[in-house]
Amino acid sequence: MFELTFLGTGASVPSAARNVSALLVEQGGRRFLVDCGEGTQRQIMAAGVGFRRLDTVLLTHGHLDHILGLGGLAGTLNLWQAVERLRILAGPAPLELARRLLLDVVWPGGRPGRLALEFVPIAPGPLIEDGRFRLSAFPVRHAAPDCLGFRFDLLPHRPLLADRLAELGVPPGPERSRLARGEAVRLPDGRRVDPEAVTGPPQGGVSVAVVGDAETVDDLVEHVRGADLLVIEASFMAADAEQARAHSHLTVADAVNLARAAGIGRLCLNHQSSRYREGAVAAEAAALFQGARVVSDFERVRVP
Ligand SMILES: [Zn+2]
Ligand SMILES: [Zn+2]
C-alpha cells in the first residue's frame, strides 16, 4: 500500500488556502518528499507526519514553487537532528539550484552541522530497486530543464503455498525465503524445487505515478500506463487552454485525457491556481472523469 499526504497543492505562489508544491509518498518504512516548496517544513508539522526518516527528496523540476522550501527544511533537520543525512535526487539543472541554495546561501562555504547532504543527479530510468519496491523516473516537458516525473511500484509477488511446501517437504528456513524470491532450491536430499511448483499466481502489485508541472501529456502515456493512481497538475480550466499552453501548464482536460489513455482509474489533481473560485476546478474534473478529484492541503490518500 502507498499512502500519500498532500502538503502543498497550490500553483506558483502560496495562498491562504493552499501552500506551494510538496507531496509525501510513503510505503512501508520508506518516505519520499516529492518537491519542497516554500513553507513545506511547516506543512509537515501541521499535517502531523513528522520528520523522522524524512531523508529523501525528489525534485520534479527547479521552479521556485517546487524547491524554495529546501533551505528551511534542511536547516530544521540539521538543528533537530531528525535525520542523519538528506539526499536530494533531481535532474542536473534543478539539482544544481538545490545545491546552490543549500551550499551557497544556507551554509555558505561550510558544512551544515551534523546533517550530511547528498546531491544525487538522476536521469530517466530506474532509481531504486529493492525487493518488491521500485522507484523510477521519466522525462516530462515543461518550461524548465531536466524535468522528471516519478513512478512508485510495489511489484506483484507470488505467494508461497503452504500445502505445496508441505507436500514437497520444503523445510522452514532459507530454502523458503529463496523460493519466495523466485529462486530454485536444492533440498538436503538432492531434489530440486522450482518456485513455480510452490507459489500461487502473482498478486498485490500497486503503482503510483507523480507528474509535477507539465506542458504536454502525449509523451507521458507509456510512463504512467496502468498506474493505480496518477497525481498531476491541473493549473487551468478548459476555457483557459490557450493560457495553459502559453504558461507551459496543463488543463483539467489534459490530465483527464492522460488518465484515460493510460488506463488509470484514479486521478488526483494538484497545483491549483487561486484565479479560480474554490470548487470550480473540482466540478469540471468530476464532470469529465469519475475518478478525478482536486486534492487539498493535508489530504491523505491511500492506494491499497
Ligand atoms: Zn509549479
Ligand atoms: Zn514549473
Side-chain angles (χ1 to χ4, degrees):
M1 184 179 81
F2 287 100
E3 184 158 15
L4 279 59
T5 306
F6 291 89
L7 297 168
T9 59
S12 304
V13 295
S15 68
R18 295 176 185 274
N19 203 50
V20 283
S21 292
L23 164 68
L24 179 65
V25 178
E26 296 179 274
Q27 189 282 315
R30 301 179 176 92
R31 310 185 91 191
F32 299 93
L33 183 65
V34 182
D35 289 338
C36 188
E38 176 191 351
T40 292
Q41 61 166 325
R42 194 155 183 276
Q43 297 292 97
I44 291 170
M45 295 173 196
V49 292
F51 292 97
R52 287 184 57 220
R53 289 180 285 103
L54 194 61
D55 59 2
T56 307
V57 180
L58 310 170
L59 298 179
T60 60
H61 66 298
H63 282 161
L64 289 185
D65 56 323
H66 298 255
I67 68 165
L68 213 46
L70 279 172
L73 175 66
T76 298
L77 291 176
N78 180 52
L79 200 64
W80 287 0
Q81 298 171 48
V83 294
E84 288 176 0
R85 59 156 196 183
L86 182 65
R87 298 174 77 208
I88 300 169
L89 284 69
L95 192 69
E96 176 61 10
L97 292 177
R99 198 194 62 76
R100 286 163 63 186
L101 174 62
L102 291 173
L103 297 186
D104 292 347
V105 177
V106 179
W107 288 290
R111 276 171 44 78
R114 294 178 188 81
L115 182 68
L117 289 171
E118 288 177 32
F119 300 92
V120 184
I122 56 173
L127 305 176
I128 298 173
E129 295 221 45
D130 176 10
R132 287 187 61 209
F133 176 80
R134 182 173 61 210
L135 166 64
S136 45
F138 53 87
V140 173
R141 289 173 57 158
H142 177 56
D146 304 328
C147 301
L148 294 171
F150 299 101
R151 181 171 178 136
F152 302 83
D153 289 290
L154 257 191
L155 306 171
H157 75 293
R158 297 175 62 128
L160 286 175
L161 301 173
D163 52 344
R164 295 291 297 146
L165 291 166
E167 254 171 63
L168 292 169
V170 181
E175 283 90 356
R176 291 192 181 191
S177 308
R178 289 175 54 199
L179 286 163
R181 289 199 299 270
E183 299 168 22
V185 299
R186 196 162 295 278
L187 299 180
D189 62 11
R191 280 181 300 132
R192 175 193 158 101
V193 179
D194 289 313
E196 292 73 28
V198 292
T199 52
Q203 58 177 242
V206 57
S207 301
V208 172
V210 178
V211 175
D213 296 1
E215 61 186 35
T216 53
V217 293
D218 296 352
D219 48 334
L220 301 177
V221 176
E222 291 315 315
H223 299 297
V224 304
R225 184 177 292 287
D228 297 276
L229 176 79
L230 169 64
V231 179
I232 191 168
E233 71 130 311
S235 304
F236 289 88
M237 294 178 68
D240 298 320
E242 264 180 43
Q243 278 206 64
R245 299 292 163 264
H247 290 94
S248 188
H249 280 292
L250 301 178
T251 64
V252 176
D254 292 327
V256 166
N257 289 341
L258 173 59
R260 284 220 177 88
I264 293 168
R266 291 177 74 189
L267 188 57
C268 288
L269 303 173
N270 60 6
H271 210 267
Q272 294 293 296
S273 168
S274 54
R275 80 184 61 216
Y276 300 118
R277 169 178 62 77
E278 193 68 36
V281 180
E284 183 168 284
L288 288 172
F289 192 67
Q290 206 186 7
R293 62 177 288 108
V294 172
V295 285
S296 307
D297 283 21
F298 309 121
E299 194 166 329
R300 294 179 99 141
V301 172
R302 287 188 166 166
V303 192

